[in-house]
Amino acid sequence: MSRLDFDVAIIGGGPTGCVLALLLARYSAHPERIVLLQSGHASQYGFTPDGDPRVLALNHGSRVLLESLGAWPTEAAQIQTIHVSQKGRLGRTVIRHSDFHVPQLGSVVRYAHLHHSLMQAVEASGVQVRTGLAAQVTMQDATSVSIVQDGQHLSAALAVQADGQPNTPVQRAYTQVALLTRARASLPRKGWAFERFTDQGPLAVLPHPHASDAQSIVWCCSPARAHLLQAMTPRDFSAALGDMFGTRLGTFSVDGSVTPVPLRMNVRSNTIDGRCVAIGNAAQTLHPVAGQGLNLGLRDTAALAIACRDWLADPTQDVGASLNHFKHMRQPDRQLTAILTDSMARTFTSGLAPLEHLAGLALLGMDALPIARAPLARHLLQGLRR
Ligand SMILES: Cc1cc2nc3c(=O)[nH]c(=O)nc-3n(C[C@H](O)[C@H](O)[C@H](O)COP(=O)(O)OP(=O)(O)OC[C@H]3O[C@@H](n4cnc5c(N)ncnc54)[C@H](O)[C@@H]3O)c2cc1C
């Protein structure tokens, strides 16, 4: 067999692609035989990595992983308490870091800062980075995968799709748009994150790494309402936000632009296709409620790196067994997280009063009985690990 150009080609230099590159570089004796193919073009949401306005809530496990790779951004806000409530109905629960005996429940970082730290670490790791137009798998056979980027062809023993786009029909197009912005609160509460369920979708108010009184807002609402909100002056938008959220943080004053993001769920039932494997958003794109997407994607990434560790010592061997092991290891966590986020995104917007009351009672029950909220909270905070 003629020697392939690379052992592993990773398509997509978002957070999951970068983390995989760093983990594989650590496990491989030849990191230069790993290539990260990044597109200089905007992502599916229309953002370039440096201009991506997303702010990400990452759990403790994700933070430990990123720190171990030397890629934790310098600016991060801590979450010590999470307050969950429902607008206009009974029910609220509070999850505290002390319930889980951890110093914090999670941290909030900017996508753009995380991406910058990750790219710096990848560039120092020995992995080859190529930036150009979108890379594409053109064919594969029993021993290799062929990929083209900018008219240049390359071959690899394994291709990892980390481009954030599952190639499957959309399973759920939510009738919700997420409006992303930043606001200042007149009565900020250090370390508190809020998830408020409304009849149009969840509203998340998180501590923003920018400043101690800054809040990151992810406001999910109907496309029509989003349209109206976007057309408002900052003052009117701030007042509408206060109406929806309540007065727990005093009054809001929006100090950033408002960016709309359409929401959908796409979960690939099979993440393996011969010598190609999908991770992160390319394997599953979820509703952002409860901030699960990247946390889940990082668990995919760590599992794939571990599954391929022995194979990397001799990449001329068949990679099939490693990929199957990865797929089976990840299936329960992927499915459970997709079901949980999908239900959370829709239960409170069903328009069915009994169901919404029941959900409110469940929140109340969780608040009264720590034992009842522990399994859900633990999954959202840590995921299903094996
Ligand atoms: C509003 C919102 C809020 C969110 N909040 C949270 C949160 O609080 N916590 C959390 O854990 N998750 C959150 N998420 C989810 C999180 O953003 C994603 O799960 C995460 O970005 C996925 O990372 P990724 O690397 O798999 O894909 P992406 O971030 O999409 O990165 C993919 C990269 O691949 C590049 N690319 C695309 N196609 C190609 C190609 N053909 N060739 C080469 N490169 C290509 C793109 O330019 C991009 O840089 C949120 C999502 C949204 C929409």
Side-chain angles (χ1 to χ4, degrees):
M1 188 181 85
S2 62
R3 192 159 156 84
L4 301 174
D5 299 322
F6 294 100
D7 297 336
V8 184
I10 302 168
I11 301 174
T16 59
C18 288
V19 167
L20 183 69
L22 291 169
L23 288 171
L24 295 183
R26 187 181 273 182
Y27 295 157
S28 168
H30 299 285
E32 74 284 359
R33 291 196 49 77
I34 298 164
V35 66
L36 181 71
L37 303 169
Q38 169 63 338
S39 152
H41 286 254
S43 72
Q44 56 174 316
Y45 299 118
F47 310 137
T48 57
D50 291 346
D52 196 309
R54 270 175 285 183
V55 164
L56 304 165
L58 297 179
N59 66 29
H60 187 62
S62 298
R63 177 177 179 149
V64 170
L65 173 65
L66 291 162
E67 279 178 342
S68 75
L69 297 170
W72 187 246
T74 43
E75 269 188 13
Q78 308 312 323
I79 299 177
Q80 273 140 357
T81 310
I82 302 175
H83 183 286
V84 186
S85 63
Q86 189 183 9
K87 180 168 167 54
R89 294 199 193 280
L90 272 180
R92 71 102 164 105
T93 192
V94 177
I95 302 166
R96 294 186 175 79
H97 67 107
S98 49
D99 298 345
F100 295 91
H101 313 289
V102 288
Q104 66 255 336
L105 293 171
S107 312
V108 185
V109 299
R110 296 186 210 213
Y111 184 106
H113 287 184
L114 175 63
H115 186 261
H116 181 71
S117 311
L118 281 166
M119 277 318 272
Q120 277 191 324
V122 172
E123 270 152 24
S125 70
V127 166
Q128 292 202 36
V129 179
R130 295 189 183 176
T131 303
L133 296 175
Q136 256 189 328
V137 170
T138 50
M139 59 164 277
Q140 60 168 310
D141 59 25
T143 54
S144 72
V145 186
S146 305
I147 297 164
V148 64
Q149 184 182 34
D150 288 349
Q152 294 208 334
H153 294 263
L154 61 91
S155 59
L158 172 66
V160 182
Q161 193 193 341
D163 58 11
Q165 306 182 47
N167 290 327
T168 55
V170 173
Q171 275 149 314
R172 177 122 35 231
Y174 295 102
T175 44
Q176 294 177 24
V177 170
L179 293 180
L180 314 185
T181 191
R182 197 174 71 187
R184 290 196 179 257
S186 64
L187 298 173
R189 293 171 85 166
K190 193 167 186 297
W192 282 65
F194 298 84
E195 187 89 64
R196 186 152 173 79
F197 291 94
T198 80
D199 61 1
Q200 292 197 357
L203 163 63
V205 178
L206 308 173
H208 196 292
H210 174 67
S212 59
D213 63 343
Q215 313 292 320
S216 162
I217 311 295
V218 184
W219 186 352
C220 302
C221 55
S222 70
R225 173 99 166 118
H227 194 67
L228 286 176
L229 287 165
Q230 276 179 270
M232 286 180 180
T233 61
R235 177 193 276 248
D236 289 348
F237 186 98
S238 305
L241 178 60
D243 284 346
M244 195 52 76
F245 181 76
T247 53
R248 283 188 188 90
L249 294 176
T251 53
F252 289 108
S253 144
V254 169
D255 72 349
S257 55
V258 178
T259 309
V261 176
L263 301 177
R264 63 188 166 85
M265 178 178 76
N266 254 22
V267 181
R268 278 175 65 148
S269 54
N270 188 1
T271 48
I272 312 290
D273 173 16
R275 290 180 164 265
C276 300
V277 53
I279 58 168
N281 267 34
Q284 64 275 319
T285 298
L286 306 180
H287 191 288
V289 63
Q292 291 300 295
L294 183 55
N295 290 302
L296 181 66
L298 292 178
R299 297 198 290 277
D300 287 348
T301 305
L304 181 61
I306 290 168
C308 290
R309 192 175 181 161
D310 291 343
W311 171 79
L312 271 176
D314 181 5
T316 59
Q317 296 297 308
D318 185 25
V319 72
S322 306
L323 295 186
N324 273 329
H325 178 58
F326 161 76
K327 181 173 118 180
H328 289 117
M329 221 168 32
R330 293 301 303 140
Q331 200 74 343
D333 187 20
R334 296 177 57 238
Q335 280 177 348
L336 185 57
T337 311
I339 291 169
L340 273 177
T341 51
D342 186 44
S343 326
M344 278 195 272
R346 294 186 315 123
T347 302
F348 296 89
T349 62
S350 66
L352 299 171
L355 185 61
E356 290 171 16
H357 274 306
L358 212 61
L361 285 175
L363 287 180
L364 270 182
M366 281 189 195
D367 203 48
L369 284 175
I371 201 165
R373 68 172 183 263
L376 175 66
R378 204 173 288 284
H379 182 82
L380 295 180
L381 299 174
Q382 301 174 345
L384 198 61
R385 286 151 193 262
R386 295 213 206 169

